[in-house]
Amino acid sequence: MTFITKILLQSGNRPVLDKVVSEIRSTAERKGADLRGPHSEPPKRIRVPQYKTLSGDEGQQFRNWDYTVYTRKIEIVGHNGVSRRVAEMNFPPGIRVEVELEQVQGMGKA
């Protein structure tokens, strides 16, 4: 049985995100793991309204808060030790991490 660890990384700070992705890549290469990615999605522009009062009166509004979110997706096939090491990393503030573990069964005997 093979496990695929899917890692989703998001941040508004692109240089820090790229540094984290490089650390994951070098860890996987050093340990000989099968790494797929990183795959980049187009940056997502987020616009958040900011109100001067709690009532949400649109006439009493500051400028919208605009920011960009960058996303990278990585998959580690097999090699549970590398997957565990990556999942336990201390990520810098501002990095959002999702780790999903998928079990894949071979086409052999049942």
Side-chain angles (χ1 to χ4, degrees):
M1 225 173 291
T2 303
F3 290 95
I4 298 176
T5 306
K6 297 179 180 184
I7 305 165
L8 175 76
L9 301 149
Q10 294 180 317
S11 180
N13 188 337
R14 187 175 181 175
V16 172
L17 180 65
D18 290 340
K19 182 180 177 194
V20 168
V21 168
S22 293
E23 289 174 17
I24 292 171
R25 179 187 289 154
S26 66
T27 299
E29 288 173 353
R30 204 171 47 247
K31 297 294 183 180
D34 182 12
L35 184 72
R36 297 178 186 164
H39 303 290
S40 301
E41 291 185 359
K44 187 187 298 184
R45 294 280 298 160
I46 308 289
R47 172 173 264 164
V48 180
Q50 299 185 88
Y51 299 100
K52 293 182 180 182
T53 64
L54 295 176
S55 67
D57 178 17
E58 290 190 24
Q60 302 252 340
Q61 194 172 358
F62 293 110
R63 286 184 324 160
N64 288 337
W65 177 39
D66 296 325
Y67 63 99
T68 304
V69 176
Y70 302 95
T71 303
R72 305 289 182 270
K73 293 181 180 181
I74 300 172
E75 291 182 357
I76 301 171
V77 180
H79 220 293
N80 298 337
V82 172
S83 299
R84 187 175 297 112
R85 183 169 290 165
V86 169
E88 293 174 347
M89 284 176 62
N90 289 325
F91 294 97
I95 301 286
R96 179 175 177 265
V97 182
E98 287 183 24
V99 179
E100 179 183 333
L101 189 61
E102 182 179 324
Q103 186 177 1
V104 179
Q105 250 178 313
M107 297 294 288
K109 295 179 184 178

